[in-house]
Amino acid sequence: MKEKKRKKKSEETEKPEGKKIKEQNLIKEDKSGYDTQKETDAVKESLPYKLELSGINRKELKDFSAEEFIPVIPLKDIVIFPYTVYPVLAGRESTIKAIDFAVEKDMYVFLATQVNSLTENIDPDNLYKSGTVAKIIQVLRMPNGLIKILVDGLSSADVIKYTPNSFIKANVKVKNFSGSAIDPELEAVSRKVKTLFTDYINANPVFPKETLITFQNIPEFDRRAFYVSSTINIDIQKKQYLLEISDLKSLYYELAYYLTSELEISNIIKEIDNKVYTEMQKNQRRFIVQEQIRILQDELGEGSEILDPDLQKMFEKIENCGMPESVKAKAMEEFNKLKKTSSMSPDFSVTRNYLDWMVSVPWNIYTEDNYNLDNAQSILDEDHYNLEKPKERIIELLAILKLLHKKNIKKPPKGQILCLVGPPGVGKTSLGKSIARALNRKFARLSVGGVKDEAEIRGHRRTYIGSMPGKIIQAMKRAGTCNPVILIDEIDKMGSDWRGDPASAMLEVLDPEQNNTFNDHYLDVDYDLSSALFITTANISYNIPPALLDRMEIIEMRSYLDFEKIQIAKRHIIPKELSEHGLKKNAIVFPDGIILKIIREYTRESGVRNLERELTNIIRKLIKSRIARENIDESVIKITEKDVEKYLGVRKFPDTRSIKEKERIGSATGLAWTSHGGDILAIDVTIMKGADKLTLTGKLGEVMKESAQAGLSYIKSNAKKFGIPENYFKDKEIHIHVPEGAIPKDGPSAGITMITAMLSSVTKNPVKTDVALTGEITLRGNVLPIGGLNEKLLAALRSGIKTVLVPEENKKDLAEVPKDIKGKLKIITMKTVEDMIPYLFGSRIIKFKKTKS
């Protein structure tokens, strides 16, 4: 465009670089900082689509050449349409150069929106290929170096090519909508858009009335379409899509689609607002009515009380739930507070939840106990195989309860809190369920394993958000009666930290002298737990705090023997699993030999959980392999050894410990006890030249290390007895290793085994491989008693050991060992270290000098 096309006076304005530009009131310098800004904003507010503001003749675009390069002004988060006057704030150096170039050359500019508005660097790949050809009608230089320009959109255009330089240029092809044919379809869709746009403006109060007046006065189809495109509130990507459309009819169709969508959204928003407003009005009206009722009640006195239906139901529950008078007084006090509290107040829900808990907990509901001892015995026998000692103690408890019931004595017998202690999978939890079934009481179970917060037992105070009663009150609510059987599982695994000691809180629960006034922090009233029968379970008893242990009677539940596991599998596990898998009782037959094979070769446990898992695995795989076979229930499947190996794979454990293994010097077999049952413990000793020290490996605990040191001290102090040279241990390093080094090991019972392995290594005499021993030793060579004797003997029997040496003081415990174990083992007691030597070294007896006692 040449300068002569504008016949107006020019004036020079100096640019910051010192250059002068001739323009007609085009560049203004902001000296006041206020008036010019106000003038520009006024232009923007007057209507963002004010037409022909600068007197530009749009017919000039007919002579616009597509080969002509014009400066590009990138836009962020905005799309400027034709027939639109809009202010643009520029701050990037390349954009300022493009503006200066366009003003100096009196050229058009191309307004292109950035694809990614977060990118500061101007890249042609980050610009859309469609934009608007515009004319700069005003430039305003800001004191902070920014430039604000006012641009007038002339026509939409498509980019033929971007050319980057100090600023981006582009040659574009201008779109011509003025030549579009006006057919009936265009007229129809235009009228539809006009109707939709009118509804859209009327539905959105943010738009001034002038917007609709201006739209109705626009005669041109293309100008009207761009006006709507600029006005509607849609995202940048949709507006850019509208700008890219080259066909006027398609543009109107898209506008109709967008306007319809926006009207639907607007209608939904109105519906939501109406619902919220209606609900607020309802709550407000309810509050006003409640306040009026309260005032009337105060005027009329307490005799005429009108309650809300929900509050009336709550009042009836408080009256009928059988609360003690002191508790009822507390509940009514809270209820009176609730009546005077607005339902919109946060305190309303807190008080309401509290009262819900108060009326949900049983206060005076009891189940009738069944004291038939024969029935109880049959239920216990039906649910559990063997376990004679626990069953006997439970029957004794039931007999005492029956006697107290006959004499109408409500105080429970002292020591009725039973603690079932045993390895996992031996039936502790299921025994608690059987007790509840035998007594005809409700059963509730709660696990306290890992609990470290006292509030988990006693409850949280109501001052905390989301507070609730403790596990004990929750269990009573689940049971629904005042005399349930409550099983507290994993009581040996409670912890403590800065939040309190839950074991101390449990003292009140399990003490018959105190639990009739148990106070939960949430309820804040005394609750009677004396009628509930508490049963606890633990894997080990020494982890239970002494004060808590003193309130319970320990019932040891030993590990199962192989023949017991066979009977449990046949009587309980297999029928249950067949029923759960939809099979008949005898659809799959497991012979005793197959069950024994699974026990010995695929499980190594004290209980039957892994056995149940493996049996279920076989049943599941059988169903999968024969699901295509019809009437699978009617065909009996007998499991063979090949089936076991096919479905369970190679055996996980050897059948028995290899007792045919050649005797070795410096190796001995001990017996260990874990929370999972008994196990054998191999100990290896080697002596080598080196520093005079004792090295211990195998992840041993402090007690076990001290036992090894005590054993070595005993051997050194009695070297002459064993024929060991006086200077033998000089410059000798003794290394004791316990295999399976990743597993922590501790305890004093391996002391005698470590002495045996060291004696074997020092005297070069091998130890018999079919003999195992256990016992704590002293520096004088005495053997002290150990615990877990039953589990250790069972582990020895399972591992193929023939002879077991145990401390003399454990002889009394052998009476509790089942005959099936004692009959298959040669059990020898020992009082001192010297007593065990003949049984471990055979004919190769170590010569030692006997001393007179």
Side-chain angles (χ1 to χ4, degrees):
M1 298 297 114
K2 297 183 178 180
E3 185 70 26
K4 64 181 181 179
K5 288 186 179 180
R6 293 194 176 186
K7 305 295 184 179
K8 296 183 179 180
K9 294 181 180 181
S10 62
E11 63 182 30
E12 295 183 356
T13 304
E14 186 173 349
K15 297 179 63 179
E17 295 86 352
K19 295 183 179 180
K20 293 185 177 180
I21 305 173
K22 286 185 178 182
E23 282 299 329
Q24 177 188 32
N25 294 326
L26 186 61
I27 301 177
K28 295 183 179 180
E29 193 167 352
D30 186 6
K31 296 180 179 178
S32 64
Y34 174 75
D35 294 338
T36 311
Q37 176 68 32
K38 183 176 181 180
E39 178 186 350
T40 305
D41 292 341
V43 172
K44 181 179 177 182
E45 294 294 334
S46 61
L47 269 183
Y49 324 109
K50 192 169 183 179
L51 307 179
E52 308 260 351
L53 181 66
S54 61
I56 297 175
N57 186 1
R58 286 178 170 76
K59 295 181 179 179
E60 296 176 358
L61 290 174
K62 291 183 178 179
D63 302 329
F64 185 80
S65 174
E67 298 179 356
E68 182 178 354
F69 282 90
I70 59 176
V72 176
I73 298 180
L75 304 176
K76 285 186 177 183
D77 296 324
I78 188 174
V79 176
I80 297 178
F81 287 88
Y83 301 97
T84 302
V85 175
Y86 208 94
V88 177
L89 186 65
R92 290 178 285 194
E93 183 180 356
S94 59
T95 305
I96 294 175
K97 288 182 180 179
I99 294 171
D100 290 341
F101 182 82
V103 172
E104 182 180 3
K105 301 295 183 181
D106 191 20
M107 296 182 66
Y108 297 117
V109 293
F110 183 69
L111 307 177
T113 304
Q114 291 185 202
V115 177
N116 184 4
S117 61
L118 300 178
T119 304
E120 289 295 330
N121 295 328
I122 302 176
D123 185 0
D125 294 334
N126 193 33
L127 298 175
Y128 285 107
K129 302 301 182 184
S130 294
T132 301
V133 177
K135 190 70 176 178
I136 299 175
I137 59 176
Q138 190 181 61
V139 179
L140 181 66
R141 299 191 181 277
M142 312 294 289
N144 56 3
L146 301 180
I147 294 181
K148 180 177 284 188
I149 61 174
L150 206 60
V151 294
D152 184 7
L154 302 179
S155 176
S156 59
D158 294 328
V159 175
I160 299 175
K161 181 181 179 182
Y162 280 121
T163 302
N165 203 338
S166 58
F167 57 87
I168 298 177
K169 295 181 179 180
N171 58 334
V172 299
K173 182 179 180 181
V174 175
K175 299 177 184 178
N176 186 11
F177 289 99
S178 60
S180 300
I182 309 302
D183 56 10
E185 183 180 0
L186 179 60
E187 181 69 31
V189 71
S190 173
R191 292 182 182 181
K192 180 65 176 177
V193 168
K194 182 177 180 180
T195 303
L196 292 172
F197 185 69
T198 302
D199 294 340
Y200 176 76
I201 295 299
N202 292 330
N204 290 273
V206 295
F207 293 102
K209 295 180 179 179
E210 291 80 2
T211 304
L212 194 57
I213 296 172
T214 303
F215 172 73
Q216 292 171 347
N217 292 329
I218 298 175
E220 297 91 346
F221 280 90
D222 59 335
R223 179 176 163 190
R224 190 183 303 165
F226 286 129
Y227 186 90
V228 175
S229 302
S230 301
T231 305
I232 58 176
N233 185 20
I234 55 178
D235 58 49
I236 298 300
Q237 287 76 17
K238 291 180 180 178
K239 286 196 173 186
Q240 179 64 32
Y241 176 69
L242 293 175
L243 187 63
E244 292 173 357
I245 297 176
S246 301
D247 179 57
L248 190 58
K249 193 182 299 181
S250 300
L251 178 58
Y252 269 104
Y253 272 112
E254 287 298 324
L255 287 174
Y257 171 75
Y258 288 146
L259 285 169
T260 303
S261 301
E262 290 297 317
L263 281 172
E264 289 180 358
I265 295 172
S266 179
N267 291 333
I268 294 173
I269 292 174
K270 282 185 177 180
E271 290 178 4
I272 295 173
D273 291 341
N274 290 334
K275 289 181 181 179
V276 172
Y277 178 77
T278 303
E279 189 65 26
M280 289 178 63
Q281 287 291 100
K282 182 180 177 181
N283 292 336
Q284 188 69 17
R285 181 175 177 276
R286 183 176 181 179
F287 173 74
I288 294 173
V289 171
Q290 286 178 346
E291 286 297 311
Q292 291 174 346
I293 291 173
R294 185 181 64 81
I295 294 171
L296 289 174
Q297 288 173 356
D298 293 340
E299 292 291 333
L300 296 174
E302 298 180 358
S304 303
E305 188 172 15
I306 303 173
L307 293 177
D308 180 87
D310 291 340
L311 295 180
Q312 182 65 36
K313 290 180 181 179
M314 179 62 69
F315 177 77
E316 292 173 359
K317 288 181 180 179
I318 295 174
E319 289 290 334
N320 300 327
C321 67
M323 295 179 182
E325 289 302 322
S326 59
V327 178
K328 186 177 179 180
K330 174 71 173 177
M332 289 305 301
E333 179 184 349
E334 295 294 328
F335 179 75
N336 291 330
K337 291 180 182 177
L338 184 67
K339 289 191 302 181
K340 299 176 182 179
T341 305
S342 169
S343 59
M344 293 181 289
S345 172
D347 292 337
F348 184 87
S349 61
V350 173
T351 308
R352 179 60 187 265
N353 290 338
Y354 173 77
L355 290 175
D356 283 338
W357 271 103
M358 289 285 280
V359 299
S360 299
V361 175
W363 295 97
N364 196 26
I365 303 175
Y366 293 86
T367 55
E368 186 176 354
D369 291 339
N370 184 356
Y371 296 113
N372 189 326
L373 302 185
D374 294 334
N375 177 67
Q377 185 68 54
S378 62
I379 290 176
L380 293 175
D381 291 339
E382 178 185 344
D383 293 346
H384 297 84
Y385 178 78
N386 209 337
L387 300 180
E388 297 301 331
K389 186 177 179 181
K391 290 179 182 178
E392 182 182 358
R393 180 62 186 88
I394 291 167
I395 295 298
E396 291 172 0
L397 174 62
L398 297 183
I400 296 173
L401 292 175
K402 181 177 182 179
L403 179 62
L404 294 176
H405 177 71
K406 283 186 177 182
K407 294 186 176 183
N408 200 23
I409 300 176
K410 295 185 178 180
K411 185 177 179 180
K414 191 173 182 179
Q416 74 163 0
I417 311 297
L418 304 181
C419 182
L420 306 177
V421 178
V426 296
K428 300 184 294 296
T429 303
S430 59
L431 191 60
K433 294 180 181 179
S434 298
I435 295 172
R437 193 158 74 94
L439 276 171
N440 192 33
R441 290 190 181 187
K442 297 292 185 180
F443 177 79
R445 173 188 171 273
L446 62 97
S447 177
V448 294
V451 172
K452 295 183 177 181
D453 189 357
E454 179 192 3
E456 292 288 333
I457 307 299
R458 286 187 173 274
H460 302 80
R461 300 189 185 278
R462 281 191 289 158
T463 53
Y464 298 102
I465 297 176
S467 58
M468 59 191 306
K471 289 181 175 291
I472 302 298
I473 296 298
Q474 292 179 37
M476 296 298 293
K477 179 186 175 182
R478 290 197 305 271
T481 63
C482 296
N483 61 336
V485 174
I486 297 182
L487 181 75
I488 303 176
D489 220 352
E490 312 291 354
I491 198 169
D492 59 324
K493 296 179 178 61
M494 284 192 298
S496 62
D497 58 12
W498 57 271
R499 292 171 292 186
D501 184 7
S504 299
M506 195 66 75
L507 294 176
E508 183 182 1
V509 177
L510 299 181
D511 191 347
E513 302 293 334
Q514 303 179 41
N515 62 7
N516 61 333
T517 57
F518 174 72
N519 190 282
D520 186 272
H521 289 162
Y522 182 82
L523 298 182
D524 198 24
V525 293
D526 290 339
Y527 190 84
D528 188 4
L529 295 174
S530 60
S531 298
L533 177 60
F534 289 98
I535 298 174
T536 64
T537 70
N539 294 130
I540 47 180
S541 59
Y542 58 78
N543 278 350
I544 304 175
L548 188 59
L549 191 64
D550 182 61
R551 286 163 170 78
M552 301 183 294
E553 179 180 351
I554 301 297
I555 298 179
E556 296 284 349
M557 297 184 67
R558 61 172 177 80
S559 304
Y560 289 123
L561 302 177
D562 289 348
F563 80 91
E564 292 175 326
K565 292 182 180 179
I566 293 173
Q567 295 301 320
I568 292 172
K570 292 171 65 177
R571 298 185 185 187
H572 303 284
I573 297 176
I574 295 175
K576 183 190 74 171
E577 294 300 328
L578 291 176
S579 175
E580 290 181 356
H581 286 77
L583 301 176
K584 290 184 178 180
K585 185 176 180 181
N586 297 320
I588 301 176
V589 177
F590 288 85
D592 291 359
I594 296 301
I595 299 175
L596 185 61
K597 177 180 177 67
I598 297 173
I599 291 171
R600 291 182 174 178
E601 297 183 8
Y602 294 90
T603 66
R604 184 64 60 86
E605 59 177 343
S606 300
V608 291
R609 282 182 183 163
N610 284 333
L611 175 61
E612 180 179 359
R613 192 174 294 114
E614 299 298 342
L615 290 172
T616 306
N617 197 8
I618 292 176
I619 295 173
R620 188 171 59 246
K621 291 182 182 297
L622 271 173
I623 295 175
K624 176 187 173 183
S625 63
R626 304 193 182 187
I627 193 65
R629 181 178 175 182
E630 297 181 359
N631 299 324
I632 188 172
D633 289 348
E634 298 179 2
S635 57
V636 178
I637 303 172
K638 187 175 182 180
I639 304 299
T640 63
E641 291 190 5
K642 290 184 178 180
D643 292 330
V644 174
E645 294 173 358
K646 176 183 177 182
Y647 296 131
L648 299 184
V650 297
R651 64 184 187 180
K652 300 176 182 178
F653 303 99
D655 187 3
T656 58
R657 179 177 173 272
S658 179
I659 59 175
K660 295 181 180 179
E661 181 183 355
K662 186 178 179 180
E663 299 174 350
R664 292 183 299 176
I665 296 174
S667 295
T669 303
L671 297 174
W673 181 90
T674 67
S675 59
H676 298 281
D679 202 354
I680 61 170
L681 191 68
I683 295 179
D684 297 326
V685 175
T686 184
I687 299 176
M688 65 198 100
K689 290 184 179 181
D692 186 6
K693 68 175 183 177
L694 176 65
T695 302
L696 300 166
T697 57
K699 208 169 185 179
L700 309 183
E702 290 298 323
V703 176
M704 203 167 183
K705 291 179 180 179
E706 292 171 359
S707 296
Q709 187 63 55
L712 179 59
S713 299
Y714 170 77
I715 294 175
K716 287 182 176 180
S717 62
N718 295 275
K720 290 184 179 181
K721 291 183 181 181
F722 302 113
I724 302 172
E726 184 177 352
N727 296 326
Y728 176 82
F729 294 100
K730 187 177 181 180
D731 298 329
K732 293 282 197 312
E733 180 180 352
I734 301 176
H735 186 174
I736 301 178
H737 177 69
V738 183
E740 299 182 9
I743 301 175
K745 311 168 189 69
D746 204 359
S749 63
I752 189 67
T753 312
M754 287 190 281
I755 280 186
T756 302
M758 285 189 284
L759 277 175
S760 173
S761 183
V762 171
T763 61
K764 307 302 180 185
N765 288 309
V767 182
K768 290 183 178 181
T769 58
D770 61 345
V771 179
L773 64 166
T774 178
E776 180 182 358
I777 53 97
T778 67
L779 291 175
R780 300 291 180 264
N782 296 323
V783 183
L784 303 181
I786 46 86
L789 181 62
N790 188 76
E791 281 73 21
K792 291 181 179 180
L793 294 178
L794 181 57
L797 180 63
R798 188 171 54 225
S799 302
I801 301 295
K802 302 297 182 182
T803 305
V804 178
L805 279 71
V806 300
E808 177 73 24
E809 295 185 32
N810 283 111
K811 191 174 183 178
K812 62 182 185 303
D813 299 324
L814 294 175
E816 302 292 334
V817 178
K819 295 180 180 179
D820 299 277
I821 297 178
K822 293 189 290 185
K824 296 177 182 179
L825 289 174
K826 183 180 179 181
I827 302 174
I828 302 171
T829 60
M830 54 183 172
K831 192 174 183 180
T832 64
V833 173
E834 299 170 1
D835 296 338
M836 59 85 177
I837 291 177
Y839 303 102
L840 292 170
F841 297 98
S843 59
R844 304 175 299 277
I845 298 178
I846 299 177
K847 296 180 180 180
F848 58 88
K849 184 178 179 181
K850 293 185 178 180
T851 57
K852 295 181 180 180
S853 57

